[in-house]
Amino acid sequence: PHMNERLQKQTTLVTIETTKAFESFRYELSIRETVKGKSLHYKILGLKAPRLNLPSTGTAQYIREYEDARGSYRIVVEDLDGTTGECEVRITQKQRTLVKAPKHSFIEFIVA
């Protein structure tokens, strides 16, 4: 669980991050998100230049915050070439649990 100080409530964060660290800029991942009930689909479209032009190193990230997420969710991440990785996450007020994850995928799902 993540405590959103502005809202004064617990939220759930989904972070998609590259394994590659970039030396000149900390890019943002361009993602098209589709939500259908308890299914979240993230299509990776590419990289976006950072909003600030200050040099920084690090991975490219996409971060999305959800309020009132409870129950089991199917999460699908689709790569540029159409390859998908899928997992199932169970969310309760006190914890997030990875219920099902692919054995061989281009993506690693981590629940914290």
Side-chain angles (χ1 to χ4, degrees):
H2 169 74
M3 176 55 93
N4 182 310
E5 298 297 327
R6 183 179 53 82
L7 297 174
Q8 290 298 301
K9 65 191 297 188
Q10 286 189 347
T11 60
T12 298
L13 292 179
V14 171
T15 303
I16 300 172
E17 180 176 42
T18 62
T19 56
K20 178 182 168 93
F22 297 93
E23 294 182 20
S24 299
F25 293 105
R26 188 168 189 146
Y27 291 97
E28 295 175 19
L29 280 172
S30 177
I31 301 278
R32 181 177 63 231
E33 173 194 32
T34 306
V35 178
K36 291 182 182 172
K38 300 258 182 176
S39 181
L40 309 174
H41 187 107
Y42 302 98
K43 168 71 175 160
I44 299 171
L45 303 174
L47 298 174
K48 291 192 288 189
R51 292 183 189 132
L52 299 174
N53 289 333
L54 300 174
S56 176
T57 62
T59 59
Q61 292 185 333
Y62 169 85
I63 299 173
R64 174 76 160 84
E65 186 173 24
Y66 296 92
E67 296 179 38
D68 303 320
R70 298 285 182 273
S72 292
Y73 287 82
R74 177 177 168 254
I75 298 175
V76 178
V77 178
E78 184 178 347
D79 202 354
L80 290 168
D81 65 3
T83 304
T84 60
E86 180 178 329
C87 77
E88 183 180 339
V89 176
R90 183 171 298 122
I91 301 172
T92 65
Q93 187 168 350
K94 295 185 180 188
Q95 68 181 13
R96 280 80 176 120
T97 307
L98 186 60
V99 176
K100 184 175 125 186
K103 292 183 180 176
H104 305 287
S105 179
F106 72 96
I107 190 166
E108 179 181 11
F109 292 96
I110 299 170
V111 176

